[in-house]
Amino acid sequence: MAVKDFMTKKVVYISPDTTIAHAADMMRDQGLHRLPVIENDQLVGLVTEGTIAEASPSKATTLSIYEMNYLLNKTKVKDVMIRKVITVSPFASLEDAVYLMLKNKVGILPVVENDQVYGVITDRDVFKAFLEIAGYGEEGVRVRFVVDDEVGRLEEIIRLIVDENLNISNTVNFPRKDGKVIIEVQIDGKFDIDKLKNKFVSHELHIDSITKTSAKVL
């Protein structure tokens, strides 16, 4: 899974000479928390709600409203922006991007290759990617198995489903500390759930849950 498959390609950005008052207005109007700063088609910085808040007068200031507005409209983004920006390649794995975000405690990574900005990957993009990979929001049935960590268990589950002429849209599996493996399978469409369940049971596959799922727009 590459970053380019999940990143936001339409990037809202500002220039270094944008005032922080205008940057704050853009964030508020478009529901954004961070803005890349681009000059001559190259990333030169990043401005966030936090950097703008630090540059703004505190509530305890003795400045008048007119003086505060003057200050906010005079201060440029280049004076407060983060200059050392952590970036990621569009060809990097999504897992590498998540690791960088987690390790550096950031919610956005500009996607850069050869000094060209191709998009951004944000925490919201990661949340959406998780839902898509898990098959969330698809109409059908989700079956959750708890099985021994043995070779061929996933293949057996898939074969039993395919034998019923059913389509598998997603599979997710992860190990537990007790040596068991959780396998979740998202199956498309409507079918006889009891018939399929009995088939799994007859092959001694432990079903933890079977849930009907409905279509949702992500």
Side-chain angles (χ1 to χ4, degrees):
M1 298 179 293
V3 166
K4 64 185 179 68
D5 298 322
F6 299 99
M7 69 184 184
T8 297
K9 296 178 181 179
K10 186 178 180 181
V11 180
V12 179
Y13 64 91
I14 52 178
S15 75
D17 289 322
T18 303
T19 66
I20 61 172
H22 183 57
D25 288 342
M26 287 181 64
M27 288 184 184
R28 183 186 64 251
D29 294 343
Q30 301 193 43
L32 302 173
H33 303 288
R34 317 123 181 136
L35 289 171
V37 185
I38 295 178
E39 185 175 36
N40 298 325
D41 295 327
Q42 293 190 353
L43 180 73
V44 295
L46 184 73
V47 66
T48 70
E49 287 178 328
T51 55
I52 289 178
E54 290 175 2
S56 302
S58 71
K59 292 181 179 180
T61 182
T62 57
L63 294 176
S64 69
I65 186 67
Y66 304 105
E67 290 171 321
M68 286 192 290
N69 286 334
Y70 173 77
L71 179 63
L72 293 174
N73 281 288
K74 181 181 179 182
T75 306
K76 305 290 186 180
V77 162
K78 63 185 177 183
D79 299 322
V80 301
M81 68 183 185
I82 300 168
R83 296 180 181 275
K84 189 176 180 181
V85 182
I86 301 165
T87 64
V88 67
S89 164
F91 303 102
S93 71
L94 182 63
E95 298 93 314
D96 284 337
V98 173
Y99 176 76
L100 283 172
M101 295 168 77
L102 183 64
K103 183 179 179 182
N104 293 282
K105 299 179 181 179
V106 295
I108 184 173
L109 293 174
V111 182
V112 179
E113 184 79 4
N114 297 325
D115 295 326
Q116 180 75 34
V117 179
Y118 287 91
V120 294
I121 187 87
T122 69
D123 45 12
R124 292 182 65 180
D125 293 322
V126 172
F127 298 153
K128 186 176 179 181
F130 171 78
L131 294 177
E132 290 179 356
I133 293 167
Y136 183 81
E138 297 179 9
E139 183 177 12
V141 174
R142 172 162 298 191
V143 187
R144 174 185 169 98
F145 302 89
V146 179
V147 300
D148 293 326
D149 189 4
E150 298 174 347
V151 174
R153 299 303 271 176
L154 177 59
E155 185 275 335
E156 181 181 13
I157 292 170
I158 292 175
R159 176 172 48 81
L160 292 173
I161 295 172
V162 172
D163 285 347
E164 294 297 317
N165 198 32
L166 297 173
N167 184 59
I168 299 171
S169 61
N170 300 80
T171 61
V172 178
N173 65 288
F174 53 98
R176 295 197 320 198
K177 293 181 179 180
D178 62 0
K180 299 286 186 179
V181 176
I182 295 174
I183 299 176
E184 292 191 358
V185 182
Q186 180 71 28
I187 307 172
D188 288 339
K190 298 178 181 179
F191 52 87
D192 189 336
I193 296 176
D194 289 334
K195 179 183 176 183
L196 185 62
K197 180 178 179 180
N198 291 334
K199 190 170 186 178
F200 290 141
V201 172
S202 68
H203 284 75
E204 299 182 349
L205 289 167
H206 174 66
I207 301 172
D208 194 47
S209 65
I210 296 184
T211 308
K212 288 185 178 181
T213 59
S214 58
K216 293 183 176 68
V217 178
L218 300 181

